Amino acid sequence: MTVPSASPQAVLNVAQQLDAVVVSMDDLTRFRTPYPWVTESGRFVKLARAEWNWVFV
């Protein structure tokens, strides 16, 4: 599901409701206080550009 929102909190709210994995180019782990599950293994995946490729970090 794609959440069309500029608000990271909106994305995290939807992911929390759906028990979904979040894939984002932003580091959403800074929201670990209200959303402690973002630091759980497999719940948040950061996408980054490495030269000409996209990688998951």
Side-chain angles (χ1 to χ4, degrees), residues 4-5 11 17-19 21 23 25 30 32-33 38 40-41 43 48-49 51 54:
S5 174
V11 171
Q17 291 172 8
L18 298 176
D19 196 29
V21 174
V23 178
M25 293 182 346
R30 68 182 184 271
R32 67 183 157 270
T33 299
V38 297
E40 294 174 6
S41 179
R43 288 300 304 270
R49 184 83 180 192
E51 295 184 25
W54 289 97

Side-chain angles (χ1 to χ4, degrees), residues 20-42:
V21 174
V22 176
V23 178
S24 177
M25 293 182 346
D26 295 326
D27 185 6
L28 300 179
T29 58
R30 68 182 184 271
F31 294 102
R32 67 183 157 270
T33 299
Y35 304 98
W37 55 266
V38 297
T39 58
E40 294 174 6
S41 179

